[in-house]
Amino acid sequence: MSSDPSELFDALARLQPADAEPAPISVPALVKQWLERGPAIFAGDDRETLEALCRQVDVRKKMSAGYAPGWKRLEPEVPAAPPVVSGVVAVLLANAAGVGEPGPDGARNDGWGLKCTNSALKALELNEHPPHASDLRVWAIDVLDRMRDAEEPR
Amino acid sequence: MSRTLPLTVLAWEGPQARAYLVRMRRAGLRAERVILMVRDPGAEKRGRPAGRPSGRAERAQDRSHNFHPYTIRKSSPEIVEAIGDAMAGIVEDPMGFYAEMFDGFSYGDHASRVVRVGANSYRDPALAAALEKSGAETVLFTGGGIVPASVFAIPGIRLIHVHTGYLPFVRGADVLLWSLLVRGRPGVSAFFMTPGLDDGDVLAAKELEPLRITLPAGSSNDADTLYRALFSFIDPLIRAELLVGEVLAPADDLGALSATPQDLSTGVTYHFMHPIVRSRALGELFTVPPLRAAGGSPGESGPSPAQYQKYYERTSARAPIRFAIDASRAKSSLRTRSIQNRQKDYSGLAGRPDLLALHRDMNRQLALQTERWDSYDYGEGYFYQSSDELGVTGLRDTAGRVETFGLKELVKGRNALEIGCNTGFLTLAIAPEAARVVAFELNPYLIAIAQAGADFLDVHNVEFAVAAFEDFEADETFDDVLSFANHHTYDGNTRQSLEEYFARCHELTRPGGRLIFESHPPEIEGAHFGETVKIIERFYDIERSEVHDYGTFLDKNRRFIVAIRH
């Protein structure tokens, strides 16, 4: 298993579909761009976009390949391919790099990172065999193991 | 003498609505009106609107919506008492509070008027019509669904909601649990609702002292029960205390409540927790001692295997009926599963006198275990491990475990030692590929079952022994040492530290040999599994470290490690 997120990002970037169906919001295109950029904690527009993807996973329990503006469903709705799902999971877990340090606003843990990890675990269950599933699960559980507990000062 | 507030409580039947009304009554307050939504499940199933609410529908709804608190109070009173002890710092006399909520509760005792509306959801037009007709202005939302735009559009209406997260930092779902994980303590906020998610102006908000509930030894600790207890006995009281204590009781004029806009650029919107994350969060709240301290017998949560022995003398048409009845009455979900799986196994015994005889012998050992073994029964009166070859469904998926981890390939032609082999069904599954396997287990009844299985399958290259790892002696080392969720045990029988455990594993592994390791589920390993990995790394070089989603709920998400001895 690769313990270096960059290596996993590279491996997943190589698995991304070459030709994605065009859509106003194309998840494969987003994932390809994010993976090529490397692991990072998002801010601004990227964070908003990732948050919208979390809502799809957490609330609708689906990830589609494309969405209409405002993250509305396209007809027909095509599920995101397994490598794309794995790519989203890796990006979510990279956003959890801050877990293990105190969070903002007096928080004991980084809420954004834990939210992303929560969505990552759910996303891994959307498909039967997303690539690198085991590595991604190990990563997710390692994030949870880094959480600061009650004994550590806020 | 109570004061009637110009407040309409929009009651979705359940602990939340009841807690608000009980707390108000304790403060000498009554709602002007309760609008009680009454579901008509028959109409709902047919896709039709709810009809006129009947007393029968209302009583059925009470039983349905309050099922979990009623059940937990009856089947696990020790959990409720432990919660009550902890909640005494938040509300006065919590146990009395629960009695007021669930023993003879009547909406009519808490409001000047109760209006019953047949409505299957908040979207039902009958609900908006009832609200508009009532002229209600200040309405208390009590959960149960998303409020549609049609309700917000009612002229003059303002809805108050109380949410167990400290706004603006914690918004969304499961917020009490997210508050515990992220902020280390519960929080609560009362605010005016908007069509958005938890973004309205705040009436009152606070964070509470960290909350920790110590459950007595032997009490149920399955995550579902604790989650339901949270929303039956903890969350509703936290909300009610803030609402009444800091918003309703001090208010001279509900029409002039002062609220502060939130800083929406800060905070996180959370969603319902994944089971692994939820278990971690519940672990922040509940402390559960190991079951061994209870000294309770496994039979306490269900019939003893001895009661089923007669069904294994000869197959009987009555057995499946008995199993189905007992499964429906079992006190825990794990015990239910064990009896259901026993029923499944039984259906495979017809026409197989050899298999019936084996199951008879194995069940006899399970019965002796229930009678004489004073420690935790992983199999809940049944078999923990599955075995396709022996016709046992089990609680864990042996075939899945073997295939997912590639165990047969790993042990091919090698001498292996298995620590804590339970009934040995995993041992027997891999033995045909191995050169030889030595497997030991502390529980003699499980070893007797293992030996019966070996005899049935005509497996001759396995030596089973009764031993604790601390006392196990061998004058040889092994190519592979198999440690499957035994590095610390749920039953509290482990007498050595993790360091000592892996040091012993190391001694028993030949130079260049391997440790093949499986963890407990992440919710049992808790927050410090990283330390376990570091200890392993002191003795071995880790070659594979994986997490797989396979098998039953007991199998999922365990860490699998293959490591080479230094």
Side-chain angles (χ1 to χ4, degrees), chain A:
Chain A
M1 165 228 156
S2 165
S3 58
D4 180 352
S6 298
E7 283 183 26
L8 193 49
F9 264 51
D10 289 343
L12 287 169
R14 288 192 289 274
L15 293 176
Q16 296 305 304
D19 303 307
E21 283 286 327
I25 300 175
S26 165
V27 178
L30 283 168
V31 169
K32 191 164 185 291
Q33 177 194 322
W34 288 336
L35 289 174
E36 284 169 0
R37 214 192 297 163
I41 299 176
F42 286 359
D45 289 348
D46 280 331
R47 178 161 162 157
E48 254 185 62
T49 304
L50 194 60
E51 182 127 33
L53 261 173
C54 285
R55 268 198 303 278
Q56 296 295 323
V57 171
D58 284 280
V59 179
R60 291 195 63 229
K61 298 179 177 46
K62 287 185 189 191
M63 193 188 304
S64 301
Y67 294 91
W71 292 88
K72 302 266 189 270
R73 269 194 316 209
L74 286 172
E75 293 293 341
E77 198 170 8
V78 176
V84 174
V85 174
S86 291
V88 170
V89 172
V91 168
L92 285 166
L93 292 172
N95 270 270
V99 175
E101 298 298 321
D105 305 312
R108 191 174 83 192
N109 281 298
D110 172 36
W112 167 247
L114 288 175
K115 171 205 166 98
C116 287
T117 306
N118 190 59
S119 299
L121 285 165
K122 290 186 187 179
L124 279 169
E125 291 163 5
L126 293 176
N127 288 133
E128 278 222 7
H129 299 292
H132 293 276
S134 171
D135 290 343
L136 291 165
R137 277 196 194 92
V138 169
W139 189 356
I141 290 170
D142 283 346
V143 169
L144 296 179
D145 286 348
R146 290 204 306 267
M147 278 195 294
R148 301 171 82 244
D149 60 25
E151 283 73 48
E152 292 178 86
R154 291 172 85 201

Side-chain angles (χ1 to χ4, degrees), chain B residues 202-234:
Chain B
V202 175
L203 292 158
K206 65 198 274 188
E207 289 198 293
L208 309 180
E209 288 303 305
L211 191 60
R212 195 93 191 136
I213 296 160
T214 300
L215 297 178
S219 50
S220 171
N221 63 354
D222 72 275
D224 286 343
T225 301
L226 297 181
Y227 186 68
R228 289 164 186 156
L230 177 76
F231 288 103
S232 299
F233 306 111
I234 300 172

